[in-house]
Amino acid sequence: MTDGSETGTTVHLLRHGEVHNPEGILYGRATGYHLSERGRAMAERVAERVGDRDITHIVSSPLERAQETAAPLAAVRGVQVGTDERLIESENFFAGRPFTVRDGLLLNPGAWRRLWNPFRPSWGEPYAEVAQRMWAAVLDAREEAEGHEAVLVSHQLPIWVTRLHAERRRFLHDPRRRQCTLCSITSFEFTGDRLTTVSYSEPAGDLIPVADRRATFSAGGADDGPHEPLP
């Protein structure tokens, strides 16, 4: 049972929209990658569908695609967008080049030493470190928006490992099965400072081409409903 005097606060993690990237580069933390026309439409759709919520605090990753995703919602809410380095994309050794067998990267023995440990992972920033910095940003946003709602705009991997951390699941996973589509929202509901519910929604899901949709994963299978965190 909870004390009725405890305040409810929700922190939403919003993934950025589609990026203009015709060469299929793994852009990572590189600057100069902006939303595509569809990506801008996705950001507008998010603003249309959640802009009437009690959102009082909006913070974004410093990368352009995240800032551009935050802008329409901030305009609707009349809130200034803050920037937080903790929300940035994870570091990746392969950033800046195509990451496919066809392009020969995975056939290069020089790359193999970066692929030996999927638990850490060996090709980039450790999952545990990503989750630590992201969760610290979530908790700060909860304090800033106490009694209201906050939106943090970030990237797929950081959002997904934050959810795994919140639900006390293992970090090792298949990237193709992350439940975190473009412009999706992963929400953390708090009562006081206690996390009570994790949920997921896709306010711009109708704009994602069927061919680009990733399989979804949750503790009990594909599910857009709320999930109770482990005790």
Side-chain angles (χ1 to χ4, degrees):
M1 297 292 291
T2 61
D3 186 329
S5 65
E6 289 186 296
T7 303
T9 307
T10 302
V11 179
H12 306 283
L13 294 186
L14 169 62
R15 186 187 171 192
H16 64 77
E18 183 185 81
V19 175
H20 179 67
N21 183 23
E23 296 179 350
I25 299 297
L26 182 65
Y27 35 74
R29 294 183 174 182
T31 60
Y33 285 90
H34 298 267
L35 293 183
S36 65
E37 183 176 351
R38 180 186 287 125
R40 292 192 295 273
M42 289 176 176
E44 293 287 351
R45 183 63 54 83
V46 170
E48 291 171 5
R49 294 189 170 174
V50 304
D52 60 346
R53 298 185 66 93
D54 185 24
I55 297 166
T56 61
H57 183 68
I58 301 177
V59 181
S60 172
S61 156
L63 296 175
E64 294 99 329
R65 58 192 185 270
Q67 295 279 332
E68 292 165 5
T69 301
L73 180 59
V76 168
R77 293 300 308 161
V79 175
Q80 184 174 358
V81 179
T83 300
D84 191 334
E85 290 282 348
R86 296 175 296 182
L87 301 176
I88 200 168
E89 179 64 279
S90 59
E91 292 181 326
N92 193 311
F93 173 77
F94 299 106
R97 42 190 161 170
F99 188 75
T100 64
V101 174
R102 180 190 62 199
D103 293 300
L105 180 60
L106 298 184
L107 301 179
N108 180 358
W112 297 348
R113 67 187 180 89
R114 299 287 180 174
L115 299 171
W116 70 275
N117 185 359
F119 293 90
R120 186 181 184 270
S122 52
W123 56 83
E125 185 179 9
Y127 293 140
E129 293 182 11
V130 177
Q132 182 179 36
R133 62 174 167 85
M134 287 288 294
W135 192 246
V138 168
L139 295 182
D140 284 351
R142 185 199 64 78
E143 290 187 8
E144 289 288 338
E146 187 171 6
H148 305 279
E149 301 183 31
V151 172
L152 308 183
V153 186
S154 187
H155 310 268
Q156 187 191 66
L157 188 149
I159 293 173
W160 181 244
V161 297
T162 303
R163 177 172 172 179
L164 295 180
H165 168 77
E167 296 179 331
R168 301 187 185 182
R169 290 195 265 158
R170 299 173 64 208
F171 289 131
L172 182 63
H173 65 279
D174 181 344
R176 296 168 300 179
R177 292 175 61 81
R178 293 172 185 157
Q179 189 181 37
C180 189
T181 60
L182 294 166
C183 270
S184 63
I185 297 177
T186 301
S187 303
F188 303 95
E189 299 178 30
F190 294 85
T191 300
D193 60 0
R194 183 173 63 88
L195 177 65
T196 54
T197 306
V198 179
S199 59
Y200 174 82
S201 62
E202 297 180 359
D206 58 309
L207 296 179
I208 301 173
V210 173
D212 292 345
R213 278 190 166 276
R214 295 182 182 274
T216 57
F217 174 85
S218 71
D223 181 6
D224 286 351
H227 304 274
E228 297 295 330
L230 296 176

